[in-house]
Amino acid sequence: EVQLVESGGALVQPGGSLRLSCAASGFTLSDHYIDWVRQAPGKGLEWVGRSRNKAKSYTTEYAASVRGRFTLSRDDSSNSLHLHMNSLESGDTAIYYCTRPLKDGSAWWVGDYWGQGSLVTVSS
Amino acid sequence: DIQMTQSPSAMSASVGDRVTITCRASQGIGNSLAWFQQKPGEVPKRLIYAVSSLQSGVPSRFSGSGSGTEFTLTISSLQPEDSATYYCLQKVGYPFTFGQGTKLEIK
């Protein structure tokens, strides 16, 4: 059974850093792309970033709002992926979801499997 | 960035009604559009990808259509369990962008 479990969410002060983790089970994470999507309290969905698979050298893409502050990395030994968040702002307060996309031909469609999310609160 | 604009932002309809939600892109996105449903307290669920491909397990009353910059999600006969917020997503280029959401309530 495919499962994604996020962890690491916490209350952090503005300007601080945090690392979220996404632990995968039921499949080999290195074979798959992973997207992060966030949702601020009471607000809509925002795509945060993408980590491509090992075949694509784990290259990454980011939303403009987080580019230069957030970084995605992988740990094949633990079948997990990390979202490193620096220079956090109040606008980063959200539930962060890791999600495995659907591969259809050469296209990867966001949101085939989702974790339950990890809450990040940025506040003094 | 490509902007995705959904309309309406909120609506209510009766069980059995035909419901249409529209998503407009700020530039052409080919068939790189998906639709998601999110119920309160739940994670989003993808209903449709590539404009009109129905995700496995999704009821056939849901359908998608459109091309270029205008796309629609249609629920042919609204059911009580369809009360949710619906989002479109474009993935033609980075960054991917969601619409702002359409909150659908059952009368």
Side-chain angles (χ1 to χ4, degrees):
Chain A
E1 180 191 6
V2 171
Q3 282 196 324
L4 297 167
V5 179
E6 302 93 340
S7 61
L11 171 64
V12 60
Q13 291 190 337
S17 298
L18 201 61
R19 188 187 82 165
L20 299 184
S21 297
C22 175
S25 59
F27 68 102
T28 301
L29 188 61
S30 60
D31 292 338
H32 290 267
Y33 288 25
I34 292 291
D35 294 297
W36 286 83
V37 173
R38 69 183 181 182
Q39 187 168 36
K43 303 298 184 183
L45 303 173
E46 181 185 11
W47 178 84
V48 173
R50 167 168 281 186
S51 171
R52 296 183 181 87
N53 59 11
K54 190 172 186 177
K56 293 290 187 181
S57 304
Y58 295 144
T59 52
T60 53
E61 304 286 347
Y62 299 96
S65 59
V66 306
R67 194 176 300 127
R69 301 187 298 122
F70 289 13
T71 304
L72 287 163
S73 67
R74 297 249 191 166
D75 182 351
D76 288 351
S77 65
S78 61
N79 214 39
S80 62
L81 177 145
H82 306 293
L83 177 64
H84 306 265
M85 303 184 292
N86 297 319
S87 304
L88 283 161
E89 307 163 352
S90 58
D92 297 318
T93 294
I95 297 172
Y96 285 73
Y97 298 101
C98 66
T99 172
R100 193 188 90 169
L102 166 72
K103 189 175 191 301
D104 180 54
S106 61
W108 293 80
W109 289 93
V110 176
D112 207 28
Y113 292 92
W114 295 72
Q116 284 304 302
S118 186
L119 177 62
V120 173
T121 303
V122 183
S123 176
S124 54
Chain B
D1 298 0
I2 297 174
Q3 308 302 316
M4 304 300 290
T5 304
Q6 286 182 233
S7 59
S9 296
M11 64 180 298
S12 63
S14 300
V15 172
D17 282 354
R18 182 181 182 88
V19 169
T20 299
I21 297 169
T22 298
C23 187
R24 289 186 174 86
S26 58
Q27 63 189 73
I29 60 171
N31 74 336
S32 295
L33 184 102
W35 288 97
F36 292 81
Q37 176 194 64
Q38 187 180 30
K39 298 180 180 180
E42 296 186 7
V43 301
K45 172 185 175 182
R46 191 181 60 239
L47 302 174
I48 287 169
Y49 63 99
V51 177
S52 59
S53 295
L54 197 66
Q55 181 69 26
S56 175
V58 173
S60 59
R61 64 181 179 273
F62 290 93
S63 65
S65 64
S67 64
T69 61
E70 187 158 333
F71 303 88
T72 58
L73 172 69
T74 299
I75 308 172
S76 60
S77 179
L78 191 66
Q79 298 302 301
E81 61 267 31
D82 300 335
S83 177
T85 300
Y86 294 84
Y87 298 92
C88 60
L89 169 76
Q90 71 78 21
K91 61 165 288 298
V92 73
Y94 297 101
F96 299 161
T97 44
F98 285 93
Q100 80 278 15
T102 295
K103 186 173 184 179
L104 173 59
E105 294 184 336
I106 309 297
K107 286 181 183 174

